[in-house]
Amino acid sequence: KSVNAARGRVIERNGRQYLVGYHPAVRSFREDLREKVKEDFALLKSVLKKLSHQTYVPSGLKNDGRT
């Protein structure tokens, strides 16, 4: 899959979440991707804001029935 096809998706691998987007350095050699990089960062900001309102529980401390 190309980056463009996967952009904007959150992918989970090995208990971690990744937001697919272009690396900002791509603008150094592909000025036509400038707007897409801006969009990716706007989406990242939105996702981080949403996540900041969630309670984080490390996977090793998730409720296993023992409280």
Side-chain angles (χ1 to χ4, degrees):
K1 246 182 191 181
S2 70
V3 172
N4 195 47
R7 275 181 68 235
R9 293 183 39 213
V10 176
I11 298 173
E12 188 167 337
R13 295 280 191 268
N14 300 321
R16 293 181 183 234
Q17 294 181 341
Y18 300 90
L19 178 63
V20 180
Y22 286 107
H23 190 283
V26 75
R27 289 177 53 195
S28 297
F29 54 95
R30 292 279 311 268
E31 187 60 33
D32 60 309
L33 296 177
R34 178 185 178 133
E35 284 304 311
K36 289 185 178 186
V37 171
K38 281 184 174 182
E39 292 168 4
D40 291 346
F41 272 91
L43 180 59
L44 176 60
K45 182 179 179 179
S46 171
V47 169
L48 289 175
K49 187 174 184 177
K50 191 181 298 182
L51 288 173
S52 72
H53 294 292
Q54 295 177 1
T55 302
Y56 172 72
V57 179
S59 59
L61 299 177
K62 287 186 179 172
N63 188 354
D64 60 2
R66 297 178 286 163
T67 308

